[in-house]
Amino acid sequence: MIPFLDLKAPYLELKAELDEAIQRAVSSGWFIGGPEVDQFEADYAAYCEVDHAVGVANGLDALHLALRAMGVGAGDEVIVPSNTYIATWLAVVQCGATPVPVEPNEATYNIDPTLIEAAVTSDTKVILPVHLYGQPADLDPILEIARKHGLRVLEDGAQAHGALYKGKRLGGHGDAVAWSFYPGKNLGAMGDAGAVTTNDPDLADRIKVLRNYGSRVKYVNEEQGYNSRLDPIQAAILRVKLAYLDEWNNRRRMMATQYQKGLAESGLILPNVPDWADPVWHLYAVRHANREGFQKQLESQGVSTLIHYPIPPHLQGAFKDMGFKKGDFPIAERIHDEIISLPISPSLTAQEAEQVVRACLN
Ligand SMILES: *Cc1c(COP(=O)(O)O)cnc(C)c1O
């Protein structure tokens, strides 16, 4: 059986280094903040070619605190993709603001920049594109709309560590990027973790205060903050894994190339990569009109698959109060009905990828 994702494999590959890093973190006596967190923040900022990385507890908090730091609150609107994981929308409602969904480009699955301007109102504060499946959204037209209307841009980079937009690493194109280091992400911790990267010193400063009870000086609370800190043991683990991110992303790229070639004549709708995008293949998602049948076909040949995602945010019970109904975002709904993710990960071999291709063709 080819697993969809083997979370133990990255640990086993780097066991000696990871064990040593965990030991180092534990023996230091720093259990909140401290040198491991500081060093990971410096390393990740350097990797993303930005001035600041601020560690937080998880990816949802990274989005939420970044929006808070941008001043988003009750009565504000944030433009989000209709086609995304629910966290993107949840971060907006956690601020008391309203997510305003915009449909994706059906070829790339990412927010369609040509549809954004029609969704801008006098209440819009932020545009929140997601780099879904590891492929960068088309940022330049989004940044131009933001400049024109005085909006800020927060990117959801939870699936795209190391991806390049027009040759430049994600991290500092917009005002800030929110990252998740959930274990299954391209850069994954061994528990929950997240960060925000930015070139804006004021945003970085606000997020540092917000993540720590609204406090800069111990027991002096300048505002109502949160407890959302990056665990130093996770920071030590992430420092080790960051050094392997490019190599592991390259293994994903090789697998994706194998799939693109092997499945070209399969009749499946394959990922479409614009020439300005260098994706990192967090997921390799294809489309099939009879997804359930296709999933069974693969399962019977030992290939595990997952659906990312079966229900779009606007049709989730979590957002029923917003009054959306089926048909409101037909492109997102069609994608959600047909999409299915094939296994892709640094721990799979070329032979296993070949087995996946054969299973798809049978
Ligand atoms: C994983 C993910 C998140 C949330 O990250 P957590 O660390 O699980 O909170 C947000 N957005 C997207 C697109 C994700 O894939």
Side-chain angles (χ1 to χ4, degrees):
M1 196 76 196
I2 297 179
F4 184 77
L5 182 64
D6 177 2
L7 285 172
K8 224 168 128 177
Y11 170 63
L12 295 177
E13 185 174 336
L14 304 179
K15 185 174 186 311
E17 271 186 83
L18 287 168
D19 286 351
E20 193 198 313
I22 293 165
Q23 258 317 304
R24 186 184 67 223
V26 171
S27 339
S28 77
W30 284 92
F31 299 118
I32 299 285
E36 297 292 344
V37 173
D38 294 345
Q39 194 56 53
F40 172 68
E41 289 179 337
D43 292 351
Y44 197 59
Y47 179 83
C48 295
E49 300 165 22
V50 294
D51 293 342
H52 310 277
V54 183
V56 295
N58 55 63
L60 176 58
D61 282 2
L63 288 163
H64 173 216
L65 297 194
L67 289 171
R68 290 268 180 199
M70 291 173 173
V72 173
D76 293 334
E77 292 178 357
V78 175
I79 292 176
V80 296
S82 56
N83 187 51
T84 183
Y85 178 57
I86 196 167
T88 319
W89 287 40
L90 286 175
V92 176
V93 294
Q94 285 185 356
C95 296
T98 305
V100 176
V102 166
E103 286 269 67
N105 173 312
E106 194 160 351
T108 66
Y109 308 137
N110 278 323
I111 194 165
D112 185 341
T114 65
L115 304 177
I116 290 177
E117 209 155 13
V120 174
T121 73
S122 55
D123 292 326
T124 309
K125 285 276 156 38
V126 174
I127 308 174
L128 207 178
V130 179
H131 306 300
L132 200 67
Y133 305 151
Q135 169 148 297
D138 192 2
L139 289 170
D140 278 347
I142 296 173
L143 293 167
E144 194 180 317
I145 295 164
R147 261 194 302 274
K148 184 171 155 198
H149 294 273
L151 311 174
R152 308 204 83 172
V153 175
L154 169 64
E155 301 156 53
D156 182 338
Q159 304 189 353
H161 318 77
L164 288 87
Y165 177 71
K166 298 190 177 169
K168 185 176 180 299
R169 278 256 167 76
L170 295 181
H173 292 86
D175 294 282
V177 183
W179 304 93
S180 163
F181 307 119
Y182 180 82
K185 308 291 189 190
N186 288 37
L187 178 60
M190 291 164 78
D192 277 311
V196 180
T197 54
T198 181
N199 284 313
D200 180 335
D202 297 326
L203 272 185
D205 180 66
R206 285 253 19 237
I207 296 166
K208 281 183 186 170
V209 172
L210 285 169
R211 74 176 172 183
N212 188 36
Y213 284 105
S215 169
R216 205 181 288 275
V217 177
K218 208 167 169 68
Y219 305 129
V220 180
N221 301 83
E222 39 190 278
E223 63 181 310
Q224 295 177 2
Y226 304 86
N227 177 351
S228 181
R229 298 173 293 219
L230 172 60
D231 183 300
I233 300 173
Q234 300 306 333
I237 289 163
L238 288 166
R239 285 179 63 193
V240 172
K241 287 189 159 184
L242 180 57
Y244 294 87
L245 178 58
D246 285 341
E247 183 194 327
W248 288 7
N249 279 343
N250 280 335
R251 291 190 210 164
R252 289 175 185 271
R253 287 187 178 101
M254 274 161 60
M255 258 192 118
T257 304
Q258 214 177 328
Y259 285 162
Q260 297 288 75
K261 284 196 186 124
L263 299 174
E265 308 296 327
S266 65
L268 295 163
I269 299 179
L270 302 182
N272 180 304
V273 183
D275 55 12
W276 41 258
D278 183 2
V280 288
W281 303 101
H282 174 60
L283 295 169
Y284 187 91
V286 301
R287 280 165 69 190
H288 192 290
N290 173 15
R291 173 179 60 199
E292 275 62 41
F294 181 61
Q295 187 165 37
K296 284 204 190 85
Q297 170 193 328
L298 293 186
E299 183 77 25
S300 73
Q301 294 176 74
V303 176
S304 313
T305 54
L306 285 179
I307 311 296
H308 299 92
Y309 297 90
I311 306 170
H314 71 278
L315 299 179
Q316 295 279 4
F319 290 106
K320 64 174 180 302
D321 289 352
M322 292 188 73
F324 293 119
K325 55 185 190 317
K326 212 172 165 60
D328 283 349
F329 299 100
I331 303 178
E333 289 169 26
R334 198 153 56 237
I335 294 168
H336 278 70
D337 284 345
E338 298 179 353
I339 206 87
I340 175 167
S341 305
L342 305 180
I344 190 163
S345 91
S347 62
L348 288 177
T349 62
Q351 290 91 308
E352 286 171 311
E354 211 35 58
Q355 189 185 330
V356 174
V357 168
R358 273 199 309 274
C360 290
L361 298 176
N362 282 322

